[in-house]
Amino acid sequence: MTWWLLTFSRGGPASYLSHLDTARAVQRTFARAGVPIALSQGMRPKPRLSLPLPLPVGAAGYEELAVVEVPDGPPSPAAALRELRAAAPPGLRPLAIVVVGDQHPRPQALEARYACRLEGDAGAVRAAVERYATEVSVVRERVSPKGRRTLDLKEYVVHVAAEPVLGGTRLSFAIRYRDDGAARPQEFIDLIAAWAEVEPVMRGLERRRVIWRDLPPGPSPGAGRSVSS
Amino acid sequence: MYEIGISNPGLQILYAYLNDATPAAAERAYCPWPDMAALMRAYDVPLWTLETIDPVAGCDLWGFTLPHELTYTNVLEMLDLAGVPIHAAERGEGQPIVLGGGPAVADPWPLAPFFEAFFMGEVEHRLDEIVEALAAPSRALRLQALAAVPGMWLPGVSERPAQRQVFTAFSRTPPVLRPVVPVLEAVHDRAIVEVMRGCTAGCRFCQAGMWYRPVRERPVDLVVEAAERLLAETGCDEVSLLSLSSCDYSGIEEALTRIRALRPGVRVSLPSLRIDSAAEALGGFAADQRGSVTLAPEAGTQELRDAINKGVDDAQFEEAVRATFGGGFTGLKLYFMIGLPGETDADVAGIARMAATAVRLAKEIGRGRARLSVAVSSYVPKAHTPFQLEPFAGAAVLRHRQQLLRDAMPRHVRINFHDVAASLVEATLARGGPGSDRLVEEAWRRGARFDGWSEHFHFATWEGAAAATGIELGAAELRSDETLPWESAVDAVVTRGFLADEQARASRGELTDDCRDGSCAACGVCGSGVEMDVLP
Ligand code: SF4
């Protein structure tokens, strides 16, 4: 059995898809392209395809990853990529395929770089970013159906920068993924917006780059940016 | 609500034909959920089309598909969100002509003042004429040209009822081959091939069975080719062979066999199963498709089933239940109605008895833990059916019978009821006459939207609207010796005499045969170019 690591971008209308709908759109793209995906065992076999790092609804992703198991005797990755590009819906663009054996460890996200635009007083946003840099810890509570948990944003959100742009501030930051989870982009944006007293409304959230553990080098935009354990 | 709207196969037919075969450009807009509507109003954003993000108010013709009565307030909501005056009389040059279609136009009166025109019946073969009418240089001339299109009824303008249109070329025309494929999960997330139009089983409560007569079937070759192409081009892994009663489609077995042979592993779904042939049909399902089965006996006793012309007997029901549990299906859902004409408490107790039979059979087969549920809706008499003159059972009777069922239902059987209050509103609008529009408008002004969704349906709003307009909910004063309100708008072609005869047969408990088997019941539909068109 072979695994394909497909990198793709998501933007335009596809930015508004949920994680599950993005996975379905990728799977349907394979079906339309005539590129088979291996099926799971059991009463209701499911295509073996996963997107290891969900992208928030509304966000564009420059370099997303899908891990796909293909059955024996798959088409050549180059030919498959051509067909996938032709079959992809608006906003979804397959970029590259790296082939790995079934013994290869599944890639794990280490860090993702985000950028967005916050409207309102740019000076106040810059001050909030400077304050974040000087704080030792910024503990926030997360309430979810699973319960409450606290997390220290300083452990997860790094490389924060603010730059004035027309009508607001371009905020860029990186989120680190650890074994115990990660912060969500919105949690950090809410914090900065609250400190800067601007509306916590972000525009144009983008995930510009993801650093993966165990993404092998290949003809992918991720090549050279992956690290191996 | 895109997830629901995009699943409507009728809209896909219109969209494909208008864009592919006429000079018109058709775009779509759906009713936004109330939170979105509130934001649109707060930020002054008018309703837009999904294709070009242009304001809907700028189109030449705005067509609404009207599936049932509890969507009526959404029509006013959409017009208002678009900045289009809700009353046709207040619209002028540069504003869209608003056209209604779909099954609910069988009685257009509750919406009449909000629309310039209604199209009665199947529209495929009239779309060219409609588009041509829109080329006229002024709004008045466009309306005049539209009025001349057969099937079109213009409230306050048309002097005669419009004749319901039948798409006689259905069998010779391929199904929609280039549908809009949603990227997010729709409620019906599958490729659709319409295999047959119309149904002549003759269930006396069923409006669709009367409205879409006669039966027309597509050749198996057309169906299989369409399924193959749609599966390849949409990427769906399931295809639905759609019709009002797909088990009655003459080519069903051949179509199922050929589609499964062409694409092994594909799931083929049939929207409904007939109890009398369910055992056979269930045997044809692949092992990985053995989920839950829905059977619709509709009524709890033989007498009442005969009265509604649902010719199913207890032996057939038991055979279907055995086939379900014996065949490894994971659950069984039984669908019934209460409030049918002539129904007694004893008929309702019969529903619980049938559920108990299913429980017993499941145990006998060793499937005592299988899921069994019973869904019970409240019957609402509809226009153009044999029961069109029957009174609505009323809230008190329906609530009493729901309680009877709750008490009598075997343990472990899940039971779901329709909200009686929503049925009361539906019953009022389903046979509303001139003036019933005031109820719709008043309810909308008081905040009614998405009335088909229990979380948005507020009976107090409708009660308030009824009190303000003096319209009694659930009442329909109709006389058999007078023209019925909907008869002044639409000639459904099924004759009043046939409907009256069927009503009389119902009261005597007499069955009427399915006319596809050769015994024409003279309903009035066939003749002058319209014929039943079934596979040899
Ligand atoms: S006219 Fe006769 S054959 Fe035609 S639909 Fe009516 S009952 Fe059936």
Short mmCIF file of all heavy atoms in Angstrom, two decimals, chain A residues 9-17 58-62 90-92 205:
data_model
loop_
_atom_site.label_atom_id
_atom_site.label_comp_id
_atom_site.label_asym_id
_atom_site.label_seq_id
_atom_site.Cartn_x
_atom_site.Cartn_y
_atom_site.Cartn_z
N SER A 9 -3.77 24.15 -1.98
CA SER A 9 -4.12 25.44 -1.38
C SER A 9 -5.64 25.56 -1.34
O SER A 9 -6.34 24.95 -2.14
CB SER A 9 -3.53 26.59 -2.20
OG SER A 9 -4.08 26.59 -3.49
N ARG A 10 -6.11 26.30 -0.34
CA ARG A 10 -7.54 26.56 -0.23
C ARG A 10 -7.72 28.07 -0.13
O ARG A 10 -7.11 28.71 0.73
CB ARG A 10 -8.08 25.89 1.04
CG ARG A 10 -9.59 25.95 1.16
CD ARG A 10 -10.09 25.34 2.44
NE ARG A 10 -10.21 26.35 3.48
CZ ARG A 10 -10.78 26.13 4.68
NH1 ARG A 10 -11.23 24.92 4.99
NH2 ARG A 10 -10.87 27.09 5.56
N GLY A 11 -8.54 28.63 -1.01
CA GLY A 11 -8.75 30.08 -0.97
C GLY A 11 -10.06 30.42 -1.64
O GLY A 11 -10.85 29.54 -1.98
N GLY A 12 -10.31 31.69 -1.85
CA GLY A 12 -11.55 32.13 -2.52
C GLY A 12 -12.77 31.55 -1.82
O GLY A 12 -12.82 31.49 -0.59
N PRO A 13 -13.75 31.07 -2.61
CA PRO A 13 -14.99 30.57 -1.99
C PRO A 13 -14.73 29.35 -1.11
O PRO A 13 -15.47 29.11 -0.15
CB PRO A 13 -15.88 30.19 -3.19
CG PRO A 13 -14.95 30.05 -4.36
CD PRO A 13 -13.81 30.98 -4.09
N ALA A 14 -13.70 28.57 -1.41
CA ALA A 14 -13.44 27.36 -0.62
C ALA A 14 -12.96 27.68 0.80
O ALA A 14 -12.97 26.82 1.67
CB ALA A 14 -12.42 26.48 -1.33
N SER A 15 -12.56 28.95 1.03
CA SER A 15 -12.12 29.33 2.38
C SER A 15 -13.22 29.12 3.41
O SER A 15 -12.95 28.96 4.59
CB SER A 15 -11.73 30.81 2.43
OG SER A 15 -10.78 31.10 1.47
N TYR A 16 -14.47 29.17 2.94
CA TYR A 16 -15.57 29.11 3.88
C TYR A 16 -16.04 27.69 4.18
O TYR A 16 -17.04 27.48 4.83
CB TYR A 16 -16.74 29.98 3.37
CG TYR A 16 -16.31 31.41 3.28
CD1 TYR A 16 -15.85 31.94 2.08
CD2 TYR A 16 -16.26 32.20 4.42
CE1 TYR A 16 -15.38 33.23 2.01
CE2 TYR A 16 -15.80 33.50 4.36
CZ TYR A 16 -15.36 34.02 3.15
OH TYR A 16 -14.89 35.30 3.10
N LEU A 17 -15.30 26.72 3.67
CA LEU A 17 -15.67 25.32 3.95
C LEU A 17 -15.21 24.93 5.35
O LEU A 17 -14.15 25.36 5.82
CB LEU A 17 -15.02 24.38 2.93
CG LEU A 17 -15.50 24.53 1.48
CD1 LEU A 17 -14.75 23.57 0.58
CD2 LEU A 17 -17.00 24.27 1.40
N GLY A 58 -13.31 30.12 7.02
CA GLY A 58 -13.05 31.50 6.65
C GLY A 58 -11.58 31.77 6.33
O GLY A 58 -11.25 32.84 5.83
N ALA A 59 -10.71 30.80 6.65
CA ALA A 59 -9.28 31.03 6.44
C ALA A 59 -8.84 30.45 5.10
O ALA A 59 -9.35 29.42 4.66
CB ALA A 59 -8.48 30.37 7.56
N ALA A 60 -7.88 31.13 4.49
CA ALA A 60 -7.23 30.58 3.30
C ALA A 60 -6.00 29.81 3.76
O ALA A 60 -5.41 30.13 4.79
CB ALA A 60 -6.83 31.70 2.36
N GLY A 61 -5.61 28.78 3.04
CA GLY A 61 -4.41 28.01 3.36
C GLY A 61 -3.54 27.93 2.13
O GLY A 61 -4.02 27.54 1.07
N TYR A 62 -2.27 28.32 2.28
CA TYR A 62 -1.40 28.32 1.10
C TYR A 62 -0.84 26.94 0.81
O TYR A 62 -0.47 26.63 -0.31
CB TYR A 62 -0.22 29.28 1.32
CG TYR A 62 -0.58 30.74 1.21
CD1 TYR A 62 -1.89 31.18 1.35
CD2 TYR A 62 0.41 31.69 0.95
CE1 TYR A 62 -2.21 32.52 1.25
CE2 TYR A 62 0.10 33.04 0.84
CZ TYR A 62 -1.21 33.44 0.99
OH TYR A 62 -1.53 34.77 0.90
N PRO A 90 -13.72 25.32 -7.52
CA PRO A 90 -13.13 26.66 -7.40
C PRO A 90 -12.56 26.89 -6.00
O PRO A 90 -13.22 26.58 -5.01
CB PRO A 90 -14.31 27.60 -7.66
CG PRO A 90 -15.33 26.77 -8.37
CD PRO A 90 -15.11 25.36 -7.96
N GLY A 91 -11.35 27.39 -5.94
CA GLY A 91 -10.75 27.72 -4.65
C GLY A 91 -9.86 26.62 -4.08
O GLY A 91 -9.11 26.86 -3.14
N LEU A 92 -9.92 25.44 -4.65
CA LEU A 92 -9.08 24.34 -4.16
C LEU A 92 -8.08 24.01 -5.28
O LEU A 92 -8.49 23.74 -6.40
CB LEU A 92 -9.98 23.13 -3.90
CG LEU A 92 -9.72 22.30 -2.66
CD1 LEU A 92 -9.85 23.14 -1.40
CD2 LEU A 92 -10.73 21.16 -2.60
N LEU A 205 -8.01 35.94 7.13
CA LEU A 205 -7.09 35.06 7.85
C LEU A 205 -6.45 34.08 6.86
O LEU A 205 -7.13 33.47 6.05
CB LEU A 205 -7.84 34.28 8.94
CG LEU A 205 -6.98 33.31 9.76
CD1 LEU A 205 -5.94 34.04 10.61
CD2 LEU A 205 -7.83 32.41 10.64
#
